[in-house]
Amino acid sequence: MEKENEILAKMQTEFAANFGNDAAAKTRAYFSPGRVNLIGEHTDYNGGHVFPCAISLGTYALVADRQDNTTRIYSMNMADKGVIEFAMSGLSYDKAKDWANYPMGVVKVFEDAGHKAGHGFDILIFGTLPNGSGLSSSASIEVLTALILNDAFDFGLDMVEMVKLSQKAENTFVGVNCGIMDQFAVGMGKKDCAILLDCNTLEYRYSKIALDGASIVITNTNKPHSLASSAYNVRRAQCEHALNELKEVKPELSALGQLSNEEFNQLAGAISEPLERQRARHAVLENNRTLEAVEALEANDVVKFGKLMNESHYSLRDDYDVTGKELDTLAELAWQVEGVIGSRMTGAGFGGCTVSLVKNEAIEAFKAKVGKAYTEKIGYAPSFYVANIADGTHRLK
């Protein structure tokens, strides 16, 4: 806890330097976590299941109300961008405003939904998530902004509504056609639990994570990924096209996530493009693998859960083609270390991170062996984070 207090004290000093002592005396503090997905990748926009958890790394904000309609926002992580200003109504995407488009997008979708801000804010941001790591820094700041707005103007929205508006901001304002998993995990996270979420219906339940002497270790390739410029939207389009072809033989189908593995194998011939068939195969098998993995974890079969994590990586590598050399190297090295229960890429891929379940006594050896071999092969070092499972976006004080 002391670490959080230290962060907030540092932020308070920085806030006063950027926005003045008067504003600094009236700040409210918020925290919005990042997320790691344990299994169920690229299933969310295919109407399948995901199994993410919120983590203790995330985004802090200090916020003070202003009297006018302007918001001034500053990130300690992007000091070179300076204080960015924007109006609180009538916003459109502005490349020059860089990262501030994420909070701007949320203000815009709130206004479009009839929740118009009555004034602007001075906001100072500090993030502990590594940038471009695929741990959902964008969703973290979107849901954070949603809570700040809801809190300031008593809009009375529940967290699921804020999550939906945050996803809409990323889809329609930023232009990344992401599913709902990231924002949902960030907003609805619960300490020591992962969330089994049906992305088709938004039905969810919390599942207690008892790893029995093991921890979740996140390893960052340190190769940044950019969703907007990656092949993410291409994969989504391929799956949609495959689904449309399957609908011709099974008209009642509305999402790939509704198929069992057996049904998919029977119907797969209806998908004319072999590449699209592979993409759809991953979406279906990964969804069913996720349900099996959660069942295993709830039956205290951590070994089976780890095996299914490994299979998830193979599928993302071979059928979905979203891993790449760096992620494959990290996963393959992890599989060779004694005490590793399972390891796979997490997030959209094309760089970013792996998530591994590692026995506590093996963590230091894991870091040393994987770090050394990865650096030798790739030419630069990875970073390691032992993740604590945290609560979702909330006000601190």
Side-chain angles (χ1 to χ4, degrees):
M1 195 61 193
E2 191 183 31
K3 197 162 183 220
E4 185 168 274
N5 291 337
E6 283 170 20
I7 287 169
L8 291 171
K10 218 176 278 181
M11 288 177 71
Q12 197 69 39
T13 306
E14 198 75 32
F15 192 100
N18 281 281
F19 302 120
N21 291 324
D22 289 353
K26 296 177 288 193
T27 57
R28 305 183 292 279
Y30 297 85
F31 177 72
S32 187
R35 69 94 193 94
V36 66
N37 190 25
L38 298 176
I39 193 164
E41 218 66 75
H42 288 279
T43 49
D44 58 346
Y45 54 82
N46 285 307
H49 292 77
V50 291
F51 195 54
C53 55
I55 57 175
S56 48
L57 301 168
T59 313
Y60 291 88
L62 287 184
V63 182
D65 295 337
R66 289 175 59 86
Q67 299 304 308
D68 59 13
N69 198 37
T70 299
T71 284
R72 301 186 299 171
I73 193 165
Y74 174 79
S75 167
M76 288 168 68
N77 306 83
M78 307 214 191
D80 58 314
K81 307 289 179 196
V83 175
I84 300 171
E85 290 192 13
F86 57 86
M88 289 299 279
S89 63
L91 287 164
S92 56
Y93 188 88
D94 182 350
K95 199 176 176 193
K97 297 204 188 299
D98 200 77
W99 68 272
N101 280 290
Y102 291 103
M104 285 163 59
V106 176
V107 172
K108 166 77 169 143
V109 297
F110 263 66
E111 184 178 28
D112 290 351
H115 311 300
K116 188 171 170 15
H119 58 74
F121 306 94
D122 288 333
I123 304 176
L124 182 94
I125 297 286
F126 176 68
T128 54
L129 286 164
N131 208 17
S133 59
L135 299 177
S136 287
S137 52
S138 57
S140 181
I141 200 162
E142 286 157 358
V143 182
L144 179 71
T145 307
L147 182 61
I148 289 166
L149 292 171
N150 196 50
D151 202 26
F153 303 114
D154 293 324
F155 290 139
L157 300 175
D158 66 22
M159 185 53 84
V160 173
E161 278 306 307
M162 289 189 264
V163 159
K164 288 179 183 171
L165 288 168
S166 297
Q167 181 206 6
K168 192 174 183 188
E170 183 133 358
N171 291 168
T172 61
F173 195 90
V174 180
V176 177
N177 210 5
C178 65
I180 200 160
M181 173 183 68
D182 293 354
Q183 291 82 4
F184 200 97
V186 163
M188 297 293 289
K190 189 175 174 183
K191 192 171 163 46
D192 298 330
C193 293
I195 309 168
L196 178 65
L197 170 66
D198 181 337
C199 298
N200 211 22
T201 62
L202 289 197
E203 283 176 29
Y204 67 96
R205 65 180 167 85
Y206 292 105
S207 179
K208 195 91 173 144
I209 299 289
L211 292 176
D212 191 27
S215 294
I216 296 167
V217 181
I218 298 164
T219 310
N220 190 350
T221 60
N222 287 327
K223 177 196 179 183
H225 75 174
S226 166
L227 279 187
S229 62
S230 73
Y232 181 93
N233 290 344
V234 175
R235 295 296 181 286
R236 186 162 184 161
Q238 288 169 331
C239 287
E240 281 168 10
H241 193 252
L243 175 65
N244 288 335
E245 290 192 315
L246 289 172
K247 278 181 181 172
E248 288 173 23
V249 292
K250 192 177 170 71
E252 69 275 20
L253 191 66
S254 64
L256 292 171
Q258 293 169 340
L259 293 170
S260 69
N261 294 354
E262 294 71 30
E263 283 175 311
F264 178 75
N265 290 335
Q266 285 161 12
L267 299 171
I271 304 167
S272 51
E273 279 284 325
L275 194 59
E276 289 182 355
R277 203 176 306 138
Q278 268 178 260
R279 304 296 189 243
R281 178 184 140 85
H282 166 76
V284 172
L285 270 62
E286 179 77 351
N287 178 49
N288 294 316
R289 184 163 35 240
T290 301
L291 294 172
E292 202 185 331
V294 175
E295 233 172 69
L297 200 59
E298 289 177 344
N300 293 322
D301 191 346
V302 180
V303 172
K304 185 177 181 185
F305 187 87
K307 185 171 165 287
L308 290 162
M309 284 176 77
N310 298 346
E311 285 174 15
S312 169
H313 189 90
Y314 307 148
S315 181
L316 288 156
R317 180 189 67 194
D318 302 337
D319 277 344
Y320 223 64
D321 191 21
V322 291
T323 55
K325 185 171 77 166
E326 294 82 4
L327 286 166
D328 286 339
T329 299
L330 280 183
E332 286 156 17
L333 290 169
W335 297 332
Q336 294 164 25
V337 176
E338 202 175 321
V340 172
I341 299 160
S343 186
R344 58 181 283 278
M345 63 151 269
T346 186
F350 317 107
C353 295
T354 58
V355 57
S356 307
L357 294 187
V358 186
K359 289 197 177 296
N360 292 336
E361 65 273 15
I363 290 175
E364 289 313 309
F366 171 79
K367 288 180 185 176
K369 286 176 184 170
V370 173
K372 183 173 185 289
Y374 179 86
T375 306
E376 283 169 5
K377 183 167 179 180
I378 303 296
Y380 50 85
S383 308
F384 299 91
Y385 310 88
V386 178
N388 295 314
I389 301 176
D391 285 324
T393 308
H394 56 282
R395 185 168 166 177
L396 294 169
K397 62 180 179 67

